Amino acid sequence: MTLLILAYLGGILTIVSPCILPVLPFVFSRAGQSFSRSVLPMLAGMVLMFALVATLAAVGGSWVVQANQYGRWLALALVALFGATLLFPKLAERLTHPLVSLGDRLSQSAQGGTTAGARPGASFLLGIATGLLWAPCAGPILGLVLTGAALQGASVGTTLLLAAYAAGAATSLGLALVVGGRVFAAMKRSLGAGEWIRRGLGGLMLAGVAAIALGLDTGVLAQLSTASTGGIEQRLVDQLGAGRAATTASANAPTANATGTSAAPRAAGPSMMPVRDTTMAAADVPAPLPVEGQLPSLDGAVQWLNSPPLTAQALRGKVVLVDFWTYSCINCLRTLPYVKAWAQKYHDQGLVVIGVHAPEFAFERDIGNVKKAVHDLGVDYPVAIDNNFAIWRGFHNQYWPAHYFIDAQGRVRYHHFGEGNYAESERVIQQLLREAGASQVASGIANVQASGIQQAADMRDVRSPETYVGYERAENFASPGGAVHDQASDYRAPSTPSLNQWGLAGDWRVGPERATSMQAGTRIVYRFHARDLHLVLGPNANGQPVRFRVTVDGRAPGDAHGTDVGADGAGIVASQRLYQLVRQSGDVRDRTFSIEFLDPGVSAYAFTFG
């Protein structure tokens, strides 16, 4: 029941979402007309189309995304026609007779000169077009509903949640129509401005079409608006403790901790969380390589970068390396130089490398974020965005990073989880290329010189484990009184933390996935032992940068500063990603790290070490 209520509330909040603003003129074109013959059919058409798109997105594949894009352009054309008939009533006279007839009907319906003249069919059609434009404005709550359906399969519960979300949106839009109708009626009585109102609505509709066509509904408006609902919806999501739903998967095997030793998997509600395997121990490559299974379908990707969609059938005859990664995972980033080297070295001999980006944190589901990371990291091979974990499930995968090696017959022949074993993995590539008939396969091992954040960890000196800041998986939290879940609270940092203890200082809101700073001057303190310290951070809810200052043992880091920090400890959180804050060049010993945020709104997700 709680889920249904939150889904309904999430739908209500859609009315103030930035990208819904260009759609509102289409809605207000019904204001002041008969509720049963005009307003209700439009809302019904809009909710029906939205529910249809959302349901297909929950159970369909990449073709649904493409179909929805074509549908949006069709909807834009239809709404533009409505707007033109409102703005230029004589336009219909200049068209051919069928279009004149259609334009007159649409114009009369959109103008709604009288209550009796309102046409339910045209209102329903406008509602369908509006629904196609509105569906992409959904926020975090709907994202969780769709993700849950993709991971667990469609169900009656999913359908009810979608219906609740759509009903909430219809409620808020219906109220807007009632209010809008009264305002327009008052203007007509006092000013006699009915004709100008009609033309104004037509102009606004055409402006909205232009804004959506140019991407301003999700771009510029999202940056300018102060009424973004993402943060509000995320707070509702956090109340459920469901912020991790996007990365929930079944785990049937032991996982590994930061030192590479076997450990029991952690529970996360009814199922287990996939984890990062950082195993560094060497493993012998079996000879001959056994057959572990067939290459699963790749159709579940929601989008492909650097390539058109690839299929298992089209890859026959090629040796394929599938790399499961996510862009804020330090272990993934440290394997990336080797994967890129193999992709370049063996491309002409028949190797195809596919990066499957499966998000760990909610912000990694944002395709724009992934595109930027792919560009910044210099990844030029195909990347499948696996936001629904369809490809992940097809491989029965449980780890970041994970590498699967497929032969030219489409058979999985070898796999490796975590960092390390690079020489063995490259020899597997060479063996599979020879089996496929490639000539003059290089026998040497790639000489990879990684630097910066991608440099291999010095595991001999790593005594601090990966540490999550959100309460769902947090450990060793040492602020007095413990963490207060899902509400703002004033924290004090531990005065003398022991190794691997950490705490917050100032006003923070701790959710299941992250902690969010509620004021300037907040801090995070961590007593660690490692060469490198990284922290996954994001700017404030409006995307505005957050300045910070780092100290190590109470002083500016100097030569121990990371790539994202100056020697004076100053830095800026400008995007949602992993930041390297400390890299020591001398002796590694227990040190106390502190980061102070000079602006409010930063989100902190997880510490990693190397």
Side-chain angles (χ1 to χ4, degrees):
M1 188 62 185
T2 303
L3 281 171
L4 288 173
I5 294 173
L6 289 178
Y8 180 75
L9 292 175
I12 289 178
L13 291 173
T14 306
I15 190 68
V16 291
S17 177
C19 72
I20 203 68
L21 296 180
V23 181
L24 290 181
F26 316 150
V27 178
F28 284 126
S29 69
R30 305 286 95 188
Q33 299 186 13
S34 167
F35 183 83
S36 61
R37 293 179 58 82
S38 180
V39 176
L40 187 60
M42 191 203 73
L43 290 177
M46 184 176 61
V47 171
L48 176 64
M49 178 53 62
F50 168 77
L52 176 62
V53 171
T55 301
L56 289 175
V59 299
S62 58
W63 67 272
V64 176
V65 177
Q66 298 172 2
N68 187 39
Q69 293 301 317
Y70 293 131
R72 280 172 60 82
W73 286 109
L74 179 61
L76 286 174
L78 179 62
V79 172
L81 179 60
F82 273 91
T85 57
L86 284 169
L87 189 61
F88 306 110
K90 295 184 179 181
L91 176 63
E93 300 175 5
R94 303 174 184 176
L95 304 176
T96 61
H97 181 72
L99 291 179
V100 169
S101 177
L102 175 62
D104 285 339
R105 289 197 296 271
L106 293 178
S107 180
Q108 292 170 12
S109 179
Q111 294 172 36
T114 65
T115 300
R119 296 179 180 273
S123 295
F124 184 76
L125 187 63
L126 180 59
I128 288 177
T130 305
L132 274 170
L133 303 176
W134 167 53
C137 292
I141 288 179
L142 184 65
L144 287 176
V145 174
L146 297 182
T147 298
L151 287 172
Q152 307 298 334
S155 64
V156 174
T158 299
T159 301
L160 289 176
L161 289 174
L162 289 171
Y165 193 96
T171 299
S172 59
L173 292 173
L175 291 174
L177 282 168
V178 171
V179 174
R182 293 177 179 176
V183 172
F184 292 155
M187 291 179 65
K188 289 179 181 180
R189 288 194 301 269
S190 61
L191 302 176
E195 176 68 14
W196 289 107
I197 291 175
R198 179 184 60 76
R199 292 187 177 184
L201 284 174
L204 288 174
M205 290 176 72
L206 292 177
V209 168
I212 295 172
L214 295 173
L216 300 180
D217 55 327
T218 56
V220 175
L221 285 175
Q223 295 296 324
L224 296 179
S225 175
T226 59
S228 175
T229 64
I232 302 175
E233 287 199 42
Q234 188 62 52
R235 293 187 183 95
L236 292 174
V237 170
D238 289 346
Q239 292 295 328
L240 291 174
R244 308 294 298 182
T247 55
T248 300
S250 173
N252 301 313
T255 64
N257 61 24
T259 60
T261 57
S262 180
R266 297 176 183 171
S271 58
M272 305 297 182
M273 296 298 303
V275 300
R276 300 174 183 167
D277 185 330
T278 59
T279 303
M280 299 294 289
D284 293 331
V285 178
L289 297 171
V291 176
E292 300 180 358
Q294 292 293 318
L295 173 62
S297 172
L298 303 175
D299 293 339
V302 300
Q303 188 169 329
W304 285 79
L305 306 180
N306 300 332
S307 169
L310 300 177
T311 66
Q313 184 62 34
L315 290 168
R316 287 295 181 95
K318 298 286 188 179
V319 174
V320 180
L321 167 58
V322 176
D323 171 27
F324 284 93
W325 71 300
T326 187
Y327 80 83
S328 77
C329 163
I330 184 60
N331 313 112
C332 303
L333 293 174
R334 290 196 292 240
T335 63
L336 194 59
Y338 295 88
V339 177
K340 290 166 56 179
W342 298 334
Q344 181 177 9
K345 181 177 178 180
Y346 297 105
H347 176 268
D348 294 338
Q349 299 171 52
L351 176 68
V352 175
V353 174
I354 299 174
V356 177
H357 188 274
E360 180 178 14
F361 297 112
F363 65 80
E364 292 172 311
R365 297 177 55 81
D366 187 311
I367 295 177
N369 286 346
V370 181
K371 286 182 177 179
K372 183 178 186 303
V374 166
H375 175 269
D376 293 346
L377 294 168
V379 175
D380 57 6
Y381 49 78
V383 174
I385 299 181
D386 194 26
N387 280 355
N388 296 329
F389 284 78
I391 303 175
W392 178 288
R393 293 196 312 273
F395 277 85
H396 302 289
N397 186 51
Q398 301 168 38
Y399 303 101
W400 291 288
H403 299 148
Y404 294 87
F405 300 79
I406 294 93
D407 67 17
Q409 300 180 50
R411 303 174 301 180
V412 180
R413 300 287 298 280
Y414 183 68
H415 68 270
H416 179 262
F417 302 139
E419 301 178 54
N421 286 8
Y422 301 118
E424 289 80 2
S425 295
E426 185 167 0
R427 292 190 186 101
V428 168
I429 295 173
Q430 295 169 354
Q431 181 172 339
L432 296 181
L433 288 172
R434 293 189 186 98
E435 289 181 9
S439 60
Q440 298 181 343
V441 176
S443 58
I445 301 301
N447 182 21
V448 175
Q449 298 294 329
S451 61
I453 205 168
Q454 297 181 7
Q455 184 175 333
D458 184 355
M459 298 307 296
R460 298 169 301 176
D461 272 325
V462 176
R463 299 179 189 171
S464 294
E466 181 173 30
T467 302
Y468 290 86
V469 177
Y471 65 75
E472 188 176 76
R473 290 198 281 171
E475 293 182 346
N476 300 323
F477 183 69
S479 285
V484 179
H485 294 187
D486 302 315
Q487 59 182 328
S489 183
D490 189 33
Y491 292 90
R492 287 187 296 112
S495 56
T496 55
S498 301
L499 180 63
N500 298 329
Q501 286 187 331
W502 65 283
L504 303 172
D507 195 7
W508 290 85
R509 182 181 181 278
V510 180
E513 180 180 86
R514 60 182 176 173
T516 302
S517 167
M518 309 304 292
Q519 64 182 23
T522 56
R523 292 186 297 126
I524 306 178
V525 176
Y526 196 118
R527 184 72 170 172
F528 76 104
H529 187 113
R531 183 194 68 193
D532 303 336
L533 180 146
H534 314 94
L535 181 56
V536 179
L537 297 166
N540 68 24
N542 295 322
Q544 295 174 340
V546 174
R547 297 168 298 154
F548 64 81
R549 182 183 299 112
V550 164
T551 61
V552 178
D553 292 337
R555 296 183 296 274
D559 292 341
H561 70 91
T563 56
D564 293 300
V565 183
D568 62 351
I572 295 178
V573 179
S575 60
Q576 295 167 312
R577 63 177 177 87
L578 182 144
Y579 290 77
Q580 186 183 80
L581 303 178
V582 176
R583 163 154 289 172
Q584 302 181 72
S585 57
D587 294 336
V588 175
R589 61 181 186 274
D590 294 1
R591 292 181 179 273
T592 299
F593 164 86
S594 177
I595 181 170
E596 178 184 7
F597 298 100
L598 307 182
D599 304 298
V602 76
S603 291
Y605 294 84
F607 285 93
T608 55
F609 303 91

